[in-house]
Amino acid sequence: MKILVIGGGAREHAICDAVICSKNAELYSVMKNLNPGIKNLTVDYLQEDETNVDKIISYAKEKNVDIVLVGPEAPLEIGIVNKLTNLGIKACAPTKEAARIETDKEWMRKLLKKYKIPGQLKFETFTDANKAKKFIEDLDCEVALKPIGLTGGKGVKVSGDHFNGIDEALEYVKDVIKNKVGGQSKILVEEKAVGEEFTLQAFSDGHTILPLHAVQDHKRLLPGDEGPNTGGMGSYSCNNGLLPFLSKSEYEEGASILQKIIEVLDKKGDPYIGPIYGQFMLTIDGPKIIEINARFGDPEAMNVLPLLETDFIEICKAMLDGELNKIKLKIRKKSTVCKYVVPRGYGIKSIVGKKVNVDEEKIMKTGSRLFYASVNKENDFVTTTSSRSLAVVGISDSLSNAENICEQALDYVKSDYIFIRHDIGTPKLIERRIQHMNNLRGM
Ligand code: AMP
Ligand code: GLY
C-alpha cells in the first residue's frame, strides 16, 4: 500500500516511522526541507512547500498513492483533503471545514458554546482595542490574548506569564490589531485557565474516537517554564496513559469532550476523519479547552506513535471506513520523555548553519528514538536552520528511566550551537507540577 506523508518535521518523521512499521506500506513524502530521517525511510519524495496543493496532488496521482496523511495544519486550512477526496484519493485527515476546529479559533469557541460542550472558557473577539478594555477589566485582567490567525503557537500571550495589568494587555491588543499579527486585525480575548496543561490525542473516524496516552508538552523556551512560547521544547507521557497530576476520570472527561466535538461536527455534516488533538488545562473545576488541533501534536506525536502495537495503517484504514469501533487499540505500557534539540537563539534569533554531530547508532543503542526536524544534511553531520533541529525520545518502563535514557542519547548530539531544555521529564519538574495542582486544590 502506497502512503504519502505531507510534512518534513520531527512529528512527520514519527508518522513516517509508524507507517513503515506497517506490514505492507511503501512510503512517499512531500517536505519543504529535506528531512534526512524521512528521506531514509521513503521509496521516493518530493521536495516542495507543504501548501503547494497542485504540485502535491500531481505527485500523489503520478505515484498512484493509496492514502495521504497530513502532518501540519497549513495544507488542511487550504483544503488539500477536499481536493484529494474529489479526485478519489483517500486522505486520512480532516477536510477544510472540519479543520476549522483548529484554524478558526473564534469559530471553535462559538461552536463549543452553541452546543454546550463542557470545558469552555469565557471569550470575546475584538477589532477595536477600546472595546476590549472593559471585557479584560471585567475578567480582572486574567486573560489570554490570541491573534485570530495561525501563529504556530507563538502569538498567544497570557497574563502573569507574558504581561501584567490592563496597560500591557492593551498594548498587545493594539499591536495585534494594528499589525495584523496572525494575518488579521482581530484578537480573541479569553478567560485565563489556571492549572496544569495536558494534551490528549485521538484517532477519529467521524463518529468514534480512540484516545491515546495523555502527554504534557513544554511550550516555554527556558527551564522552569520561563521565556517566550515556542513550537514546543519537549514532552513526556506515563506508562499508564495518565499524567502524575491527572486522574483517570479527568482523562476521561477530556476524551469525552473530544468525542462530543466530533459528534457535533458530524451532525453539522462535516465529519472529522483523522487524528485530533485536544489541549486542555486541568483546573480545579476539571479540564478546560485551550485549543483543539486538527492533527497530531508536535512534539506529542513522538510520545504516542512509537508506542502503537496495533498496525498504524490498519488504524488509518479504519478511520477512513468509519470502522474504528472494530479496532482493538493496543498501546505499549511505557513512559516516554521527548526533548527537542534547537539551535542556540531559537525563539529569539536562531544561529543558523552551524554544525551538529549526531551519532545515530549510539542513540539507538540507548533505546531512544531520534526524529529529525529542520536540519540540512552535510556529509556526516547536519547543520542548524532557524527552526527546531531534532528530537530525542527516551522510552522505558518508568518516567525516570525514560528521562535518563533520553539524556544518555542526547550526549551523542554534539555541537556548541544547540540548546536543550534538560529539565523536561526530570523528577524535580514533575514534582513541581504535582505540587502546583495540589496547591490549587488546597491540599
Ligand atoms: P495556544 O497557541 O492556544 O496553544 O496557546 C499557547 C499556550 O498559551 C498554551 O499552551 C497555554 O500554555 C497558553 N494558553 C492559551 N490559552 C490559555 C488560556 N485561556 N488560559 C491559560 N493559558 C492559556
Ligand atoms: N504541541 C503543540 C502543537 O502541536 O500545537
Side-chain angles (χ1 to χ4, degrees):
M1 184 160 249
K2 295 182 173 186
I3 311 292
L4 172 64
V5 174
I6 300 176
R11 164 185 49 204
E12 290 78 17
H13 188 178
I15 296 173
C16 290
D17 215 54
V19 168
I20 59 133
C21 284
S22 188
K23 281 180 274 327
N24 301 314
E26 208 173 82
L27 179 69
Y28 295 80
S29 144
V30 176
M31 49 189 161
K32 186 175 169 196
N33 221 63
L34 201 52
N35 179 317
I38 296 179
K39 182 172 172 247
N40 273 347
L41 302 176
T42 55
V43 173
D44 189 63
Y45 63 88
L46 171 72
Q47 197 173 351
E48 183 55 69
D49 195 295
E50 288 122 13
T51 54
N52 195 338
V53 175
D54 292 339
K55 284 248 175 76
I56 296 173
I57 287 180
S58 316
Y59 182 69
K61 281 206 286 200
E62 181 200 323
K63 298 295 169 191
N64 212 6
V65 304
D66 297 294
I67 300 179
V68 178
L69 306 178
V70 185
E73 64 278 17
L76 302 173
E77 187 179 28
I78 51 175
I80 192 159
V81 173
N82 307 53
K83 289 188 182 153
L84 286 163
T85 312
N86 285 343
L87 291 167
I89 303 170
K90 289 182 180 165
C92 191
T95 58
K96 181 180 175 176
E97 292 75 21
R100 256 182 112 181
I101 201 78
E102 165 165 12
T103 58
D104 188 341
K105 293 187 175 87
E106 182 182 11
W107 182 84
M108 181 274 270
R109 288 279 170 212
K110 286 184 172 161
L111 188 82
L112 300 179
K113 193 168 171 184
K114 181 167 173 197
Y115 290 93
K116 300 192 172 57
I117 309 270
Q120 293 181 49
L121 296 169
K122 289 187 195 123
F123 75 96
E124 254 183 66
T125 50
F126 298 94
T127 49
D128 178 342
N130 295 325
K131 293 195 176 138
K133 187 166 185 265
K134 182 168 183 317
F135 186 70
I136 296 173
E137 282 173 340
D138 285 350
L139 289 170
D140 291 329
C141 299
E142 291 297 302
V143 291
L145 303 173
K146 304 186 171 185
I148 287 288
L150 294 175
T151 55
K154 293 165 202 153
V156 174
K157 292 206 191 293
V158 181
S159 78
D161 291 341
H162 307 104
F163 67 88
N164 283 301
I166 189 69
D167 293 341
E168 285 177 25
L170 285 179
E171 200 179 308
Y172 189 55
V173 171
K174 284 179 191 155
D175 177 35
V176 170
I177 292 172
K178 182 162 173 258
N179 299 315
K180 294 194 177 179
V181 177
Q184 290 183 51
S185 289
K186 200 172 188 183
I187 191 160
L188 174 68
V189 181
E190 217 171 72
E191 173 191 350
K192 176 182 174 180
V194 180
E196 280 296 323
E197 266 181 280
F198 69 97
T199 300
L200 200 50
Q201 299 164 100
F203 298 115
S204 166
D205 67 1
H207 321 286
T208 307
I209 63 154
L210 285 181
L212 296 157
H213 284 187
V215 183
Q216 190 171 41
D217 182 18
H218 297 69
K219 284 246 162 79
R220 306 291 289 274
L221 177 69
L222 301 174
D225 297 322
E226 303 285 337
N229 272 345
T230 65
M233 295 297 291
S235 47
Y236 68 90
S237 67
C238 298
N239 52 17
N240 61 358
L242 307 176
L243 291 165
F245 53 84
L246 180 77
S247 70
K248 184 140 189 5
S249 67
E250 289 157 345
Y251 170 95
E252 279 164 1
E253 260 183 81
S256 134
I257 288 172
L258 291 180
Q259 175 68 36
K260 288 194 170 83
I261 290 174
I262 65 137
E263 282 169 15
V264 161
L265 290 171
D266 194 27
K267 207 172 352 176
K268 283 172 56 59
D270 293 319
Y272 186 105
I273 313 271
I276 186 163
Y277 166 122
Q279 178 90 41
F280 297 98
M281 185 74 79
L282 178 63
T283 70
I284 51 170
D285 301 318
K288 302 287 176 194
I289 302 164
I290 298 294
E291 64 175 1
I292 304 293
N293 290 333
R295 52 177 172 79
F296 284 116
D298 189 348
E300 295 97 323
M302 292 181 273
N303 300 92
V304 296
L305 290 175
L307 302 187
L308 280 184
E309 268 181 36
T310 313
D311 188 294
F312 180 51
I313 297 305
E314 290 306 314
I315 300 172
C316 293
K317 286 198 298 200
M319 283 194 262
L320 285 162
D321 295 341
E323 292 188 338
L324 268 189
N325 57 350
K326 293 191 181 157
I327 293 277
K328 178 96 193 69
L329 191 61
K330 279 205 183 150
I331 299 171
R332 287 198 289 152
K333 291 191 173 56
K334 299 276 184 191
S335 298
T336 65
V337 173
C338 170
K339 303 193 196 196
Y340 252 115
V341 174
V342 303
R344 253 173 57 191
Y346 173 71
I348 300 149
K349 192 173 189 308
S350 300
I351 304 182
V352 304
K354 296 295 180 185
K355 185 169 165 179
V356 185
N357 286 304
V358 184
D359 192 331
E360 295 184 7
E361 226 166 86
K362 292 233 170 79
I363 291 173
M364 292 283 280
K365 280 196 182 143
T366 65
S368 298
R369 305 294 285 272
L370 164 69
F371 297 112
Y372 282 104
S374 185
V375 286
N376 289 315
K377 176 102 175 118
E378 307 286 335
N379 301 321
D380 56 350
F381 59 89
V382 296
T383 55
T384 57
T385 69
S386 61
S387 302
R388 293 173 293 183
S389 310
L390 58 95
V392 169
V393 185
I395 302 175
S396 189
D397 292 329
S398 70
L399 195 52
S400 60
N401 272 347
E403 200 276 327
N404 276 328
I405 287 174
C406 180
E407 282 296 328
Q408 283 167 29
L410 286 169
D411 279 345
Y412 300 114
V413 181
K414 289 192 170 41
S415 171
D416 290 336
Y417 295 94
I418 54 176
F419 175 74
I420 301 161
R421 251 193 82 169
H422 286 290
D423 64 335
I424 292 170
T426 56
K428 194 171 157 205
L429 193 59
I430 302 287
E431 192 49 38
R432 219 180 88 177
R433 308 265 186 243
I434 298 170
Q435 275 307 324
H436 181 213
M437 259 349 274
N438 285 348
N439 289 346
L440 291 173
R441 287 172 170 138
M443 286 159 74

